Amino acid sequence: MFSQFLVLEHNRIERLAAISEPLRQPEEIFRTAEDGRGLEAEDVASLFAAARDRNRRIEIQAAANRVRARWAAKTVEFIIPVYLTSFCQNECLYCGYRQSNPIAERVRLGPEDFDKQLDLILSWGHRQIELVLSDDPEFGPETVARYVAATRSKLDAWGGGVVALCSPVYQQQDYVLLREAGLDWVVEWQETYDRPHFDRWHFLGSAKRNYESRVDLWERVIAAGIHEIGLGVLLGLYDFRHDVLAVIEHANYLRRTYGIEPHALGIPRLKPARGVLASQKPNRFTVSDDDFRLVVSVYHMAFPTSRLFFNTRESYDLNISLVTAGDLFTVDCETLPGAYLRRHLPGQFSTHDYPPRREVKAKLEQRGLAAQYLVEEMPCEAAPGAPATEAAIDEKPWMEQHAQIRARLQDWEMALAGLKPRPSGTRAKQEELGEKAGLERLSGDGAQTLERQAADVSLREIMEYFKTLLATHCRQEESELFPAFHPDPEVNSKLAALRADHERFGIDLDKFERQMVSYGLSKDPTVLLTLGARIIREMRGHLEAEERLLPLARLRAIRQSYIH
Ligand code: SF4
């Protein structure tokens, strides 16, 4: 099993990741790669060491392009992800769908909407479908197999195509079932091969924390008769040199053991996800654009015929400058189940907008690369906008909820006021606050303590309220109210700003809670007061902005068949 091999090789990989001088000269390595023999970890480590000189990076990219032009098919394969569920029992700290994220939209795509969406996607010309799902206990392998079979049968009806799957890791018999249902290939990223960092990013209690099961997945997939595999790491969780070298080792191990070349190599890079603090800020493992280009080049050389999986986490300009013969390319990408029917809803991570698929295809053809799995477009009844009917919006329930939120903002303000040093005349008000929080009335010097305790209890309760609010009211707005507005550029940009506010409030509440802990230790309320005042001010501004927008809305009928 590869996990046992990795235990033995871990120190070697760490040493190779750290070398500062190449073990072989880059020119020799280029010759090996241009002969189509692929590269070993020592060669890739040497290229990383050589790339500390910036001029060398240009040579490495040029050599990689020569390798691909010589060995890879003169095609670029289009692939489109289709998410099935966004419910998840795991706590991957980098992911917008982690279980505890209160602002993640949770959707399970029912068979009827799945069919409708697939018809739409096929009408756009796509013929390679990647089914994607989070770790949803209600979406086991048997259910997934039904969606695979439905995709296979639709593709066959439209002239054929390819079905890929990115799912939680399963057992061998599950992959047999999926293969028999019509699955062609499996996509699975190890995230990071470094065990301590793998544990750190995957919170205790998460099923995904089972490192061995994940790293030994390919043995089970291959034993089930699926020989087309896509492996890789999420760049940015650990030192990219170490992780890329581990991918090279893993792929070369599979090549030596089973005679299987990787069908695809993943190059996802950590990007911001809504409500996920760890993904928002650069960390010491953040991969720069320059390093990303280097990773692409070494993969291109190490596996001359494998497909690098270019995805919309990256900008179009960056991807189109790097894609070569034989790669996979994503143009259309929605990461929320059903979002191709209801465009531009926030999903698992942030993505970029791309030019129309025809334009991308033409651009590739200018470079002598034929687009594969993208055929001519056809009209489709499921296109967004077609079946909509008009109805006036009922503002009342939204306004009532806003009134409740305003009342709680006032409570928040009072609780903050309880932390400030006060003149004695306000003592009665403090005691009233204390009673409201269920504390006994005190007098004299005890009043200051009472005031702090009351504010503390009240603030905790208020934090709970606002976190629940994000998970209910804000999500309800995003899933029911916002998608129903007429798609008008001005309204769209206002809705995008309101969504961004929801996300920022989640992060601000986290910050506020952390400041409450600091205040408990220092008893200095300055930061808490300033931060709280800002959040309250911004929430009030947000409510007003939403209310200004409501009268402009004429709701279209909302599609009801999503299961929330
Ligand atoms: S990465 Fe996958 S398993 Fe982890 S939280 Fe996100 S959807 Fe769930």
Side-chain angles (χ1 to χ4, degrees):
M1 297 297 242
F2 184 69
S3 56
Q4 291 153 354
F5 176 85
L6 199 55
V7 169
L8 300 174
E9 297 302 320
H10 177 264
N11 289 344
R12 184 179 130 259
I13 294 173
E14 281 284 272
R15 275 200 307 278
L16 284 174
I19 62 171
S20 55
E21 291 299 325
L23 304 171
R24 273 211 301 159
Q25 281 313 301
E27 287 70 19
E28 284 177 54
I29 299 170
F30 297 162
R31 274 196 293 279
T32 306
E34 284 176 48
D35 286 347
R37 285 182 275 154
L39 299 180
E40 295 293 331
E42 281 73 8
D43 288 338
V44 173
S46 294
L47 292 178
F48 284 150
R52 289 171 200 265
D53 170 357
R54 299 219 149 259
N55 295 329
R56 279 292 194 187
R57 292 182 178 230
I58 298 165
E59 293 170 18
I60 292 170
Q61 190 173 349
N65 289 344
R66 289 196 300 274
V67 171
R68 300 297 287 194
R70 182 162 175 201
W71 293 100
K74 301 289 177 285
T75 57
V76 169
E77 294 183 9
F78 282 70
I79 183 165
I80 181 168
V82 173
Y83 277 63
L84 301 180
T85 172
S86 58
F87 286 81
C88 192
Q89 60 177 337
N90 284 328
E91 275 295 334
C92 309
L93 295 182
Y94 45 81
C95 177
Y97 287 160
R98 71 192 163 92
Q99 189 185 37
S100 66
N101 184 359
I103 59 169
E105 190 166 351
R106 306 296 180 182
V107 179
R108 289 191 187 102
L109 195 62
E112 200 185 308
D113 272 325
F114 177 75
D115 269 5
K116 203 187 294 177
Q117 185 173 256
L118 205 51
D119 281 337
L120 179 64
I121 286 168
L122 294 171
S123 79
W124 291 342
H126 286 287
R127 293 295 182 271
Q128 181 158 219
I129 311 292
E130 181 200 12
L131 301 178
V132 184
L133 66 150
S134 45
D135 196 349
D136 178 353
E138 291 188 27
F139 236 100
E142 294 82 12
T143 310
V144 177
R146 285 201 291 278
Y147 282 78
V148 169
T151 311
R152 164 59 53 213
S153 118
K154 280 259 183 213
L155 279 169
D156 288 349
W158 285 67
V162 173
V163 189
L165 176 69
C166 179
S167 68
V169 298
Y170 297 139
Q171 296 308 311
Q172 183 179 327
Q173 66 273 19
D174 301 323
Y175 289 108
V176 172
L177 185 70
L178 290 161
R179 177 176 55 76
E180 287 172 352
L183 182 65
D184 293 300
W185 65 283
V186 175
V187 180
E188 206 68 67
W189 312 144
Q190 179 57 33
E191 315 300 9
T192 172
Y193 280 83
D194 182 71
R195 181 62 184 264
H197 282 84
F198 184 89
D199 287 349
R200 226 164 275 165
W201 285 105
H202 301 100
F203 219 58
L204 201 60
S206 283
K208 190 165 169 180
R209 204 174 151 93
N210 189 337
Y211 179 91
E212 280 76 19
S213 170
R214 195 167 191 83
V215 95
D216 291 330
L217 163 77
W218 299 117
E219 268 83 0
R220 304 198 293 279
V221 172
I222 292 166
I226 299 175
H227 292 169
E228 296 188 339
I229 62 175
L231 71 166
V233 286
L234 177 56
L235 297 163
L237 299 187
Y238 184 56
D239 173 33
F240 77 88
R241 293 176 183 83
H242 173 280
D243 271 340
V244 169
L245 289 171
V247 171
I248 305 275
E249 283 292 275
H250 200 167
N252 281 335
Y253 165 89
L254 295 172
R255 176 156 58 186
R256 280 191 294 270
T257 314
Y258 302 102
I260 286 175
E261 293 283 330
H263 181 74
L265 289 159
I267 45 171
R269 189 162 51 146
L270 184 59
K271 293 283 163 163
R274 300 182 83 223
V276 181
L277 200 54
S279 69
Q280 309 270 345
K281 306 181 286 188
N283 65 49
R284 68 194 169 104
F285 302 127
T286 296
V287 177
S288 67
D289 283 357
D290 266 0
D291 287 339
F292 181 73
R293 288 190 190 93
L294 178 63
V295 169
V296 167
S297 298
V298 300
Y299 276 149
H300 273 150
M301 271 194 264
F303 301 99
T305 58
S306 298
R307 296 150 186 78
L308 260 64
F309 198 150
F310 287 89
N311 62 82
T312 57
R313 287 172 183 254
E314 306 298 339
S315 73
Y316 172 69
D317 288 343
L318 181 61
N319 273 355
I320 202 74
S321 72
L322 292 174
V323 66
T324 65
D327 284 330
L328 282 163
F329 207 80
T330 303
V331 176
D332 300 296
C333 177
E334 296 288 349
T335 60
L336 185 73
Y340 295 107
L341 295 170
R342 304 183 297 165
R343 300 304 300 271
H344 298 302
L345 291 176
Q348 189 181 19
F349 47 80
S350 61
T351 56
H352 289 261
D353 279 337
Y354 271 43
R357 54 195 87 86
R358 297 292 136 200
E359 210 175 287
V360 179
K361 181 172 182 259
K363 179 99 182 168
L364 292 169
E365 282 168 355
Q366 282 168 12
R367 288 165 50 181
L369 300 171
Q372 213 177 356
Y373 305 124
L374 187 71
V375 302
E376 288 307 309
E377 286 191 35
M378 297 175 75
C380 174
E381 281 183 7
T389 56
E390 295 277 334
I393 186 172
D394 180 8
E395 295 179 15
K396 200 167 157 225
W398 303 106
M399 294 302 281
E400 283 172 357
Q401 289 184 33
H402 280 194
Q404 285 170 16
I405 296 167
R406 283 199 171 91
R408 298 319 309 266
L409 286 172
Q410 211 169 345
D411 290 346
W412 192 350
E413 233 166 17
M414 268 183 71
L416 286 177
L419 301 182
K420 289 181 190 165
R422 296 179 155 273
S424 56
T426 57
R427 184 65 37 89
K429 212 166 187 181
Q430 295 160 11
E431 290 179 356
E432 183 196 322
L433 185 63
E435 283 181 343
K436 202 173 169 188
L439 299 173
E440 282 182 18
R441 186 180 285 261
L442 293 178
S443 59
D445 292 343
Q448 184 68 30
T449 312
L450 167 68
E451 182 184 357
R452 288 211 174 112
Q453 286 175 341
D456 192 54
V457 172
S458 185
L459 281 174
R460 277 178 208 295
E461 193 257 321
I462 288 165
M463 280 306 98
E464 273 316 300
Y465 170 80
F466 278 101
K467 278 161 71 182
T468 311
L469 182 81
L470 284 173
T472 53
H473 172 75
C474 297
R475 215 179 89 198
Q476 197 185 1
E477 283 185 336
E478 292 188 13
S479 62
E480 292 180 18
L481 181 62
F482 294 1
F485 279 82
H486 267 303
D488 163 275
E490 197 184 335
V491 172
N492 281 350
S493 83
K494 286 179 178 159
L495 293 176
L498 294 173
R499 277 195 197 98
D501 284 351
H502 290 171
E503 178 173 5
R504 199 181 60 249
F505 292 148
I507 291 167
D508 280 345
L509 292 178
D510 277 352
K511 278 190 203 157
F512 191 84
E513 281 192 312
R514 283 204 304 277
Q515 283 306 325
M516 282 171 62
V517 176
S518 304
Y519 166 69
L521 298 170
S522 70
K523 304 296 177 223
D524 177 357
T526 315
V527 179
L528 205 55
L529 292 173
T530 319
L531 180 61
R534 174 178 66 77
I535 301 173
I536 292 168
R537 192 174 57 246
E538 288 179 359
M539 283 192 173
R540 285 190 174 129
H542 175 84
L543 294 174
E544 282 164 21
E546 282 184 342
E547 287 163 9
R548 277 197 300 277
L549 205 56
L550 280 178
L552 300 178
R554 281 289 175 273
L555 289 181
R556 294 186 305 154
I558 300 169
R559 295 168 208 280
Q560 292 296 347
S561 47
Y562 293 88
I563 308 165
H564 291 274

